[in-house]
Amino acid sequence: MASSTAKHMPALHSGSVLPNVVTMLLLLSIGFVLGMVCTANFHESYLPPFLQPLPSLLRSPSPPPPVTELPSQSPSPSPETACVVGPPLPSPPSQQPTPSPPAILGFADFLAPSGGLMHNMTDDELLWRASMVPRVARVPWRIVPKVAFLFLVRGDLPLRPLWEKFFAGHEGLYSIYVHASPAYTGSPPADSVFYGRMIPSQNTSWGDMNLVDAERRLVATALLDLANARFALLSESCIPLLPFPAVYAFLTGSNASFVDSYVDGARHAPFFTQHNVTLAQWRKGSQWFEMDRAIAVEVVAEEQFMAVFRGNHGVANMEEHYLPTLVTLLGWGARNANRTLTYAKWRAGAWHPASYGGRAVTPELLEGMRRGNGECGYRSKDGGGAVEFCFMFARKFSGDALGKLLELAPKVMGFG
């Protein structure tokens, strides 16, 4: 029976079984290797959490990566392309906003600073910048000359409404600059021509050279505007005696500056002789001037004699001597008329000129100031004919004179 069973069973030969086993093991190995390669190249985000590769499961938990929206032109990988062995495809470049082109500046942009009058320059920096002068005589642009009105004040401008009527309708022909005490925090209304016209200032005191510093600060700031051709220094107690067209026509048409300068040996000390300022050169005069641009540049650029007048000489009221003496020291000669265009009435022995309140203001007073009581005579055009005058500004008027001045301005002064 046993032999019969053995007879009918097929014989197992090792030569036929072993090749099949080896082939199966080889196929399994190749499949395992390909699976690992595909897993390494396939981004983890495409696999469910329970199929994450072993290394990622061993790492400490971390927040999920941010989801980035793929561009529409980059389709999701298909199963056929997901297992391609090779370097990862580069990410598409991020879309950056296109920068705007730089602004192109024109010639007019260099004629005056923009953005207001406030700055952080020191006096030395301001004077250095203001002393720059174009060397080419021919101007490649038609510049309308302006008159710069420089107000040296303590604080408020009580006569501001009168000046606003004076300037009304003449925009583009004037500039306004105000030097007030640094402690002053007031401001004119936003619709005033004086709004935003204050410059960086420093403390001043009567009879001190810091008044000259303030004058030079005003002139230097006005020089930054290349259209400013004439410069008139005024105080809060000054008024105009002529309409704007007459003032503008005369100043822009004159070849002379008006810096008051006359012989007066008072206050000259040996200190000045020792520093090359002789008694023969010594002058006195009103500090309220009207000058052209060339002399204004010389005023802000001058350093030698400014240092002398600042020196330890023990003499007061240098604001009445520095500019008048500079007339002879720098040899202005015929370029200067040696007189001011601002009227003031000085009384014998008084430290200050006469002041005028509301009751003192009359047509006869204003007419007499304008004509200088027969002291001199100039002529100018105001649009309606020639105007004869000796002074175009006057001081000192108090705030309570404003009402009467506004009443008389159209009849006597020609504006308002």
Side-chain angles (χ1 to χ4, degrees):
M1 183 69 68
S3 62
S4 175
T5 303
K7 180 178 178 180
H8 293 281
M9 291 181 66
L12 297 175
H13 300 287
S14 61
S16 62
V17 174
L18 289 176
N20 293 334
V21 173
V22 171
T23 301
M24 292 179 65
L25 291 175
L26 181 60
L27 292 174
L28 288 173
S29 299
I30 293 173
F32 178 80
V33 171
L34 289 176
M36 293 299 293
V37 171
C38 290
T39 302
N41 284 277
F42 196 81
H43 198 277
E44 295 179 3
S45 64
Y46 292 99
L47 297 176
F50 60 85
L51 290 181
Q52 291 292 324
L54 183 59
S56 68
L57 296 176
L58 295 178
R59 290 195 297 265
S60 58
S62 59
V67 178
T68 303
E69 183 179 357
L70 295 176
S72 58
Q73 64 270 23
S74 302
S76 302
S78 62
E80 292 80 10
T81 61
C83 292
V84 176
V85 179
L89 296 175
S91 302
S94 59
Q95 298 295 325
Q96 297 293 336
T98 304
S100 58
I104 299 178
L105 300 178
F107 178 77
D109 296 314
F110 293 92
L111 296 180
S114 59
L117 300 180
M118 302 306 291
H119 58 78
N120 61 358
M121 287 187 287
T122 65
D123 276 357
D124 287 342
E125 293 169 338
L126 173 62
L127 297 174
W128 177 84
R129 175 62 184 85
S131 65
M132 296 181 180
V133 179
R135 299 296 298 273
V136 178
R138 183 181 61 84
V139 181
W141 189 278
R142 184 181 180 273
I143 299 177
V144 177
K146 295 190 293 185
V147 177
F149 292 84
L150 318 176
F151 289 86
L152 179 56
V153 304
R154 289 181 289 268
D156 284 326
L157 288 159
L159 303 176
R160 172 178 54 81
L162 180 70
W163 283 102
E164 289 171 342
K165 290 185 177 296
F166 170 78
F167 290 120
H170 305 291
E171 292 74 15
L173 300 179
Y174 65 86
S175 302
I176 296 174
Y177 303 86
V178 181
H179 186 292
S181 167
Y184 176 69
T185 58
S187 173
D191 60 349
S192 172
V193 294
F194 288 88
Y195 183 78
R197 304 311 298 174
M198 293 180 62
I199 71 169
S201 62
Q202 296 185 25
N203 288 317
T204 59
S205 55
W206 179 77
D208 196 284
M209 274 298 285
N210 55 30
L211 280 172
V212 179
D213 291 329
E215 294 169 10
R216 282 157 51 98
R217 205 171 290 127
L218 279 164
V219 174
T221 305
L223 281 171
L224 298 181
D225 186 342
L226 293 179
N228 287 329
R230 303 289 300 204
F231 306 80
L233 181 68
L234 303 159
S235 74
E236 65 264 54
S237 67
C238 288
I239 66 167
L241 295 173
L242 299 173
F244 181 89
V247 171
Y248 179 84
F250 180 80
L251 290 180
T252 57
S254 176
N255 293 324
S257 291
F258 297 86
V259 178
D260 201 23
S261 179
Y262 56 88
V263 176
D264 189 328
R267 303 191 183 122
H268 186 272
F271 173 89
F272 294 103
T273 302
Q274 297 166 7
H275 292 83
N276 301 316
V277 181
T278 67
L279 180 60
Q281 296 170 314
W282 190 257
R283 297 290 187 272
K284 184 181 179 181
S286 169
Q287 71 181 105
W288 313 105
F289 57 75
E290 298 80 24
M291 59 179 60
D292 63 20
R293 189 174 183 90
I295 284 184
V297 171
E298 293 186 43
V299 169
V300 302
E302 199 283 311
E303 293 182 318
Q304 176 186 352
F305 298 108
M306 189 68 184
V308 174
F309 278 78
R310 275 205 190 103
N312 187 22
H313 44 67
V315 183
N317 300 100
M318 286 297 97
E319 78 280 5
E320 295 180 356
H321 294 279
Y322 172 70
L323 276 180
T325 304
L326 208 61
V327 172
T328 60
L329 294 173
L330 300 185
W332 290 345
R335 297 167 60 195
N336 186 57
N338 294 334
R339 64 177 304 270
T340 181
L341 293 178
T342 301
Y343 176 90
K345 182 179 181 180
W346 288 92
R347 296 165 294 183
W351 286 96
H352 300 282
S355 182
Y356 303 93
R359 293 184 178 181
V361 177
T362 64
E364 293 75 21
L365 174 71
L366 300 177
E367 275 289 342
M369 290 177 170
R370 190 180 70 186
R371 295 185 179 276
N373 296 317
E375 298 173 12
C376 59
Y378 294 108
R379 295 175 67 87
S380 182
K381 295 180 179 180
D382 67 350
V387 177
E388 293 187 1
F389 68 95
C390 183
F391 296 97
M392 59 176 53
F393 309 112
R395 59 187 300 265
K396 301 172 55 173
F397 287 83
S398 58
D400 65 348
L402 176 62
K404 194 64 174 180
L405 289 169
L406 290 173
E407 176 188 335
L408 295 178
K411 308 172 187 176
V412 181
M413 294 177 275
F415 63 88

Coordinates of all heavy atoms in Angstrom, one line a residue, residues 206 260 262 267 284-288 317 319-320 340 342-356 369 373 375 391 395-396:
W206 N 16.9 143.6 23.1 CA 17.1 144.9 22.6 C 18.6 145.3 23.0 O 19.0 145.1 24.1 CB 16.1 145.9 23.2 CG 16.4 147.3 22.8 CD1 16.0 147.8 21.6 CD2 17.0 148.3 23.5 NE1 16.4 149.1 21.5 CE2 17.0 149.5 22.7 CE3 17.5 148.4 24.8 CZ2 17.5 150.7 23.1 CZ3 18.1 149.6 25.2 CH2 18.1 150.7 24.4
D260 N 20.5 152.4 6.1 CA 20.7 153.7 6.7 C 22.2 153.7 7.2 O 22.6 152.8 8.0 CB 19.8 153.9 7.9 CG 19.6 155.4 8.2 OD1 19.9 156.2 7.4 OD2 19.2 155.7 9.4
Y262 N 25.1 156.9 8.4 CA 25.6 158.3 8.5 C 26.7 158.4 9.6 O 26.8 157.5 10.5 CB 24.4 159.2 8.9 CG 23.7 158.9 10.1 CD1 24.1 159.4 11.4 CD2 22.5 158.1 10.1 CE1 23.4 159.1 12.5 CE2 21.8 157.8 11.2 CZ 22.2 158.3 12.4 OH 21.5 158.0 13.6
R267 N 29.9 155.8 20.6 CA 30.0 154.3 20.9 C 31.3 153.7 20.2 O 31.5 152.5 20.4 CB 28.8 153.5 20.5 CG 27.5 154.0 21.1 CD 26.4 153.1 20.9 NE 25.1 153.6 21.5 CZ 24.0 153.8 20.8 NH1 24.0 153.5 19.5 NH2 22.9 154.2 21.3
K284 N 26.5 155.0 12.0 CA 25.3 154.7 12.7 C 24.1 154.7 11.8 O 24.2 155.4 10.7 CB 25.1 155.6 13.9 CG 23.9 155.3 14.8 CD 23.8 156.4 15.9 CE 22.6 156.1 16.8 NZ 22.5 157.1 17.9
G285 N 23.0 154.1 12.2 CA 21.8 154.1 11.3 C 20.7 153.2 11.8 O 20.9 152.5 12.8
S286 N 19.6 153.4 11.2 CA 18.4 152.6 11.6 C 18.7 151.1 11.1 O 19.3 150.9 10.1 CB 17.2 153.1 10.9 OG 16.1 152.2 11.0
Q287 N 18.1 150.2 11.9 CA 18.3 148.8 11.6 C 17.3 148.3 10.5 O 17.5 147.2 10.0 CB 18.2 147.9 12.8 CG 16.8 147.8 13.3 CD 16.7 146.9 14.6 OE1 16.5 147.4 15.7 NE2 16.7 145.6 14.4
W288 N 16.3 149.1 10.2 CA 15.3 148.7 9.2 C 15.7 149.0 7.8 O 15.7 150.2 7.4 CB 14.0 149.3 9.6 CG 13.7 149.2 11.1 CD1 13.8 150.1 12.0 CD2 13.4 148.0 11.8 NE1 13.6 149.6 13.3 CE2 13.3 148.3 13.2 CE3 13.1 146.7 11.4 CZ2 13.0 147.4 14.1 CZ3 12.8 145.7 12.4 CH2 12.7 146.1 13.7
N317 N 24.0 148.3 21.8 CA 23.2 148.8 20.6 C 24.1 148.6 19.3 O 24.1 149.5 18.5 CB 22.9 150.3 20.8 CG 21.9 150.5 22.0 OD1 22.4 151.0 23.0 ND2 20.7 150.2 21.8
E319 N 23.3 146.7 17.0 CA 22.4 146.6 15.8 C 22.2 147.9 15.1 O 21.8 148.0 13.9 CB 21.0 146.1 16.2 CG 20.1 147.1 16.9 CD 20.4 147.3 18.4 OE1 21.4 146.8 18.9 OE2 19.6 148.1 19.0
E320 N 22.6 149.1 15.8 CA 22.5 150.4 15.1 C 23.9 150.7 14.4 O 24.0 151.8 13.8 CB 22.2 151.4 16.2 CG 20.8 151.3 16.8 CD 20.5 152.4 17.8 OE1 21.4 153.2 18.0 OE2 19.4 152.4 18.3
T340 N 17.2 154.9 4.9 CA 16.2 153.8 5.0 C 14.9 154.4 4.4 O 14.7 155.6 4.2 CB 15.9 153.5 6.5 OG1 14.9 152.5 6.5 CG2 15.4 154.7 7.3
T342 N 12.0 153.4 5.8 CA 11.1 153.2 6.9 C 11.1 154.5 7.8 O 12.2 154.8 8.4 CB 11.4 152.0 7.7 OG1 11.3 150.8 6.8 CG2 10.4 151.8 8.8
Y343 N 10.0 155.2 7.9 CA 9.9 156.4 8.7 C 9.8 156.1 10.2 O 9.1 155.2 10.6 CB 8.7 157.2 8.2 CG 8.5 158.5 9.0 CD1 9.0 159.7 8.6 CD2 7.7 158.5 10.2 CE1 8.8 160.8 9.3 CE2 7.5 159.6 10.9 CZ 8.1 160.8 10.5 OH 7.9 162.0 11.2
A344 N 10.5 156.9 10.9 CA 10.4 156.9 12.4 C 10.7 158.3 12.9 O 11.6 159.0 12.4 CB 11.3 155.9 13.0
K345 N 10.0 158.8 13.9 CA 10.2 160.1 14.5 C 11.0 160.0 15.8 O 10.5 159.4 16.8 CB 8.9 160.8 14.7 CG 9.1 162.2 15.2 CD 7.7 162.9 15.4 CE 7.9 164.3 15.9 NZ 6.6 165.0 16.1
W346 N 12.2 160.5 15.7 CA 13.1 160.4 16.9 C 13.0 161.7 17.7 O 13.1 162.8 17.1 CB 14.5 160.1 16.5 CG 14.7 158.7 16.1 CD1 14.6 158.2 14.8 CD2 15.0 157.6 16.9 NE1 14.8 156.8 14.8 CE2 15.0 156.4 16.1 CE3 15.2 157.4 18.3 CZ2 15.3 155.1 16.5 CZ3 15.4 156.1 18.7 CH2 15.5 155.0 17.9
R347 N 12.9 161.6 18.9 CA 12.9 162.8 19.8 C 14.2 162.9 20.5 O 14.9 161.9 20.8 CB 11.8 162.7 20.9 CG 10.4 162.6 20.3 CD 9.4 162.1 21.3 NE 9.6 160.7 21.6 CZ 8.8 160.0 22.4 NH1 7.8 160.6 23.0 NH2 9.1 158.8 22.7
A348 N 14.6 164.1 20.7 CA 16.0 164.4 21.3 C 16.1 163.7 22.7 O 15.2 163.9 23.5 CB 16.2 165.9 21.5
G349 N 17.1 162.9 22.8 CA 17.4 162.3 24.1 C 16.6 161.0 24.3 O 16.8 160.4 25.4
A350 N 15.7 160.7 23.5 CA 14.9 159.5 23.7 C 15.6 158.2 23.2 O 16.3 158.3 22.2 CB 13.5 159.6 23.0
W351 N 15.3 157.1 23.8 CA 15.9 155.8 23.4 C 15.1 155.1 22.3 O 15.6 154.2 21.6 CB 16.1 154.9 24.6 CG 17.2 155.3 25.6 CD1 17.1 156.0 26.7 CD2 18.6 154.9 25.4 NE1 18.3 156.2 27.3 CE2 19.2 155.5 26.5 CE3 19.3 154.2 24.5 CZ2 20.6 155.4 26.7 CZ3 20.6 154.1 24.6 CH2 21.3 154.6 25.7
H352 N 13.9 155.5 22.2 CA 13.0 154.9 21.2 C 12.2 156.0 20.4 O 12.0 157.1 20.9 CB 12.0 154.0 21.9 CG 12.6 152.9 22.7 ND1 13.1 151.7 22.1 CD2 12.8 152.7 24.0 CE1 13.6 150.9 23.0 NE2 13.4 151.5 24.2
P353 N 11.8 155.7 19.2 CA 11.1 156.7 18.4 C 9.6 156.8 19.0 O 9.2 156.0 19.8 CB 11.1 156.1 17.0 CG 11.2 154.6 17.2 CD 12.1 154.4 18.4
A354 N 8.9 157.8 18.5 CA 7.6 158.1 18.9 C 6.7 157.0 18.5 O 6.8 156.4 17.4 CB 7.1 159.4 18.3
S355 N 5.7 156.7 19.3 CA 4.7 155.7 19.0 C 3.3 156.3 18.8 O 3.0 157.3 19.4 CB 4.6 154.7 20.2 OG 3.7 153.6 19.9
Y356 N 2.5 155.7 18.0 CA 1.2 156.2 17.6 C 0.1 155.3 17.9 O 0.1 154.1 17.4 CB 1.2 156.6 16.1 CG 2.3 157.5 15.7 CD1 3.6 157.0 15.2 CD2 2.2 158.9 15.8 CE1 4.6 157.9 14.9 CE2 3.2 159.8 15.4 CZ 4.4 159.3 15.0 OH 5.4 160.1 14.7
M369 N 4.2 161.4 6.8 CA 5.2 160.4 6.9 C 5.6 159.9 5.5 O 6.8 159.7 5.2 CB 4.6 159.2 7.7 CG 4.4 159.4 9.2 SD 3.7 158.0 9.9 CE 3.8 158.4 11.7
N373 N 7.9 164.9 5.1 CA 7.9 166.4 5.5 C 8.8 167.2 4.7 O 9.5 168.1 5.1 CB 8.2 166.5 7.0 CG 7.2 165.9 7.9 OD1 6.0 166.0 7.6 ND2 7.6 165.2 8.9
E375 N 11.6 166.1 3.2 CA 13.0 165.8 3.3 C 13.6 165.3 2.0 O 14.8 165.4 1.7 CB 13.2 164.8 4.4 CG 12.8 165.3 5.8 CD 12.9 164.2 6.9 OE1 13.4 163.1 6.5 OE2 12.4 164.4 8.0
F391 N 9.2 158.0 2.1 CA 9.2 156.7 2.9 C 8.0 155.8 2.4 O 6.9 156.3 2.2 CB 9.1 157.0 4.4 CG 10.2 157.8 4.9 CD1 10.2 159.1 5.1 CD2 11.4 157.1 5.3 CE1 11.3 159.9 5.6 CE2 12.5 157.8 5.8 CZ 12.4 159.2 5.9
R395 N 6.9 153.4 11.3 CA 6.7 152.9 12.6 C 6.8 154.0 13.7 O 7.3 155.1 13.3 CB 7.8 151.8 12.9 CG 9.2 152.3 12.8 CD 10.2 151.2 12.8 NE 10.2 150.4 14.1 CZ 11.0 150.7 15.1 NH1 11.8 151.7 15.1 NH2 10.9 149.9 16.2
K396 N 6.4 153.9 14.9 CA 5.9 152.7 15.5 C 4.4 152.9 15.8 O 4.0 153.9 16.4 CB 6.5 152.4 16.9 CG 8.0 152.3 16.7 CD 8.7 152.2 18.1 CE 8.2 151.1 19.0 NZ 9.0 151.0 20.3

